[in-house]
Amino acid sequence: MTCLPCAAFAAALLMVIAATADFALLAATQRPSWEETWATIKAEGKAEGSVAFRTGASETREYRQALPEFEKAVGLKIQLISGSPTDLATKVVAEQRAGKPSADLWFSGASSVLNVFVPAGAAKDLKPLLVHPEVTNTKAWYGGELPWASDWTLGFGASADRGIITYNPNLVDPNEFDSYWDILKAKWKGKIVMRDPRLDGVESPRTFLYVKLGRKFFIRLLDEMKPVIAPDARTAAEWVALGRYALCIIGCNRAGEQAEAQGLPVKAVFPKILKEGFPVDMGGSGLTALSGSPHPAAAKYFINWFLSREGQIFYQKATGNFSLRTDIPKNTVKPSESIYPELAQHHWYGWKYEGPRAESQAWLREIMKARGF
């Protein structure tokens, strides 16, 4: 016997399934492809015509030199203003509070973002702006994950700091060092110059030593070794070259490279890998979206272009820095900027230690002030 209600239900169910399938097919045919979506983002960005970013990164000179090629590649006019990260960040916040924001993006590390922008509400969530599949594909990034330095800052480049110890080879035998604790040997008392570890620009080596060796290292360094703080990195490197000091620690490696290239007796990269390894950090290679962006469409387009394969190949070529994308060649990376992927077991990733970064700075300000620095 046929069940009429059952037959009616089955027929109705088939109609629903058919209608659902038709709707899904229609939605699929109407949904724009990724290429169409990207074309729209690109067109809207180019219609605004320009993007403005502020940077306190050390690569500013390289960015400026490559600016015409940069603008040609992305199809936007780029307004670049550089300076002290703290001063620039303060100005960005002041402009926003006055209702006259002039910057779209921040190119630098996460310190100013966390210390200045976030408390003032001056940084916005970057995640919704990342839409290009080449950008969101975690397999394309070093370590298999997007390199977030904080909830607001995405890192795109990094370098290994093999130069925490810069030295005069006529005065120092690297074979005497197995650990960073060896800096505290009595023979180096009065023979150490360093950058001020309280500065924003030396957060990577400072935080590395703080996490790896602890507060005791800095207390002994200041109290026993009597280091001298140089006014800047170039002066520190010159003093090492002249033999006035045997070692420069914390933030001397770039100036040391320049001195070494001039034939002066300075070695900027320590030839041995010490027991604690070495820091790999993004330095100024971080990207943050700013609140009140005057060119929101151009900023969204630029962010995704810059973080794509094309943009990061351009970044590496322009700066010589190491992009954290794994799907691009590294033939334009300067040796001093490599993160030495083959030595990954020795890496210490600085961008994962934002808490100790701020903590170490605040603590050093306190104890160094008490000691008359």
Side-chain angles (χ1 to χ4, degrees):
M1 179 182 293
T2 303
C3 175
L4 294 178
C6 293
F9 174 77
L13 182 61
L14 288 172
M15 291 177 64
V16 170
I17 292 173
T20 302
D22 289 342
F23 179 79
L25 179 62
L26 179 63
T29 57
Q30 291 181 340
R31 185 183 301 123
S33 66
W34 159 246
E35 289 78 9
E36 292 173 322
T37 301
W38 178 238
T40 299
I41 292 172
K42 187 175 182 179
E44 291 175 349
K46 287 190 173 184
E48 286 187 341
S50 64
V51 64
F53 64 84
R54 306 292 179 259
T55 179
S58 59
E59 300 86 3
T60 298
R61 183 176 65 178
E62 288 85 350
Y63 284 140
R64 289 196 182 281
Q65 290 174 342
L67 204 55
E69 296 177 47
F70 229 139
E71 292 177 329
K72 183 178 179 181
V74 72
L76 291 172
K77 188 71 177 175
I78 298 174
Q79 183 196 60
L80 167 63
I81 295 180
S82 60
S84 158
T86 302
D87 293 344
L88 280 176
T90 301
K91 185 176 181 180
V92 166
V93 170
E95 289 178 347
Q96 289 189 10
R97 287 176 174 169
K100 298 179 180 180
S102 65
D104 301 293
L105 304 172
W106 177 260
F107 269 53
S108 199
S111 295
S112 295
V113 176
L114 294 173
N115 296 335
V116 182
F117 292 148
V118 173
K124 64 183 179 182
D125 190 356
L126 184 61
K127 295 180 182 67
L129 300 178
L130 305 180
V131 295
H132 198 300
E134 288 184 6
V135 176
T136 58
N137 178 17
T138 56
K139 294 180 180 179
W141 294 93
Y142 196 81
E145 59 183 3
L146 293 180
W148 291 102
S150 73
D151 290 339
W152 299 268
T153 303
L154 182 69
F156 51 84
S159 61
D161 192 347
R162 295 280 301 276
I164 290 181
I165 302 175
T166 298
Y167 65 100
N168 185 318
N170 297 329
L171 303 175
V172 177
D173 179 3
N175 291 316
E176 295 184 39
F177 291 78
D178 295 308
S179 164
Y180 288 101
W181 283 107
D182 292 329
I183 294 171
L184 305 182
K185 288 181 177 178
K187 67 181 297 181
W188 305 123
K189 181 178 180 179
K191 298 180 181 179
I192 298 173
V193 62
M194 67 179 183
R195 297 289 309 285
D196 191 331
R198 296 167 290 189
L199 296 174
D200 284 341
V202 297
E203 57 263 74
S204 178
R206 177 191 72 228
T207 310
F208 170 78
L209 293 171
Y210 184 82
V211 171
K212 286 286 189 174
L213 305 183
R215 294 182 174 186
K216 184 178 179 180
F217 172 82
F218 284 100
I219 291 172
R220 288 189 57 194
L221 173 68
L222 297 172
D223 292 347
E224 298 176 21
M225 308 312 293
K226 307 299 181 184
V228 171
I229 294 179
D232 52 63
R234 179 179 294 181
T235 300
E238 289 176 355
W239 287 349
V240 171
L242 292 170
R244 184 172 173 181
Y245 298 96
L247 304 171
C248 179
I249 63 171
I250 305 179
C252 304
N253 56 321
R254 288 184 182 272
E257 287 174 357
Q258 295 173 359
E260 187 174 356
Q262 295 169 9
L264 298 175
V266 177
K267 292 294 183 183
V269 176
F270 211 68
K272 291 180 64 176
I273 298 175
L274 302 184
K275 182 175 69 175
E276 295 83 5
F278 54 87
V280 171
D281 215 339
M282 63 183 59
S285 299
L287 176 60
T288 304
L290 298 174
S291 302
S293 170
H295 314 101
K300 183 176 182 178
Y301 164 51
F302 181 86
I303 288 168
N304 286 277
W305 174 84
F306 183 73
L307 296 174
S308 71
R309 290 188 74 253
E310 180 185 359
Q312 286 299 285
I313 289 173
F314 188 91
Y315 160 73
Q316 279 193 163
K317 182 179 178 181
T319 65
N321 286 1
F322 187 100
S323 168
L324 288 170
R325 289 197 69 98
T326 59
D327 57 353
I328 61 176
K330 304 298 180 184
N331 57 306
T332 58
V333 176
K334 293 183 289 190
S336 60
E337 298 300 328
S338 174
I339 68 170
Y340 304 93
E342 70 278 9
L343 301 176
Q345 71 271 26
H346 301 289
H347 288 174
W348 176 87
Y349 300 110
W351 59 82
K352 297 183 178 182
Y353 292 87
E354 283 304 321
R357 192 181 297 253
E359 178 186 306
S360 62
Q361 185 179 48
W363 178 74
L364 278 165
R365 284 173 175 168
E366 180 181 339
I367 69 160
M368 291 181 71
K369 182 179 180 180
R371 287 164 171 76
F373 284 94

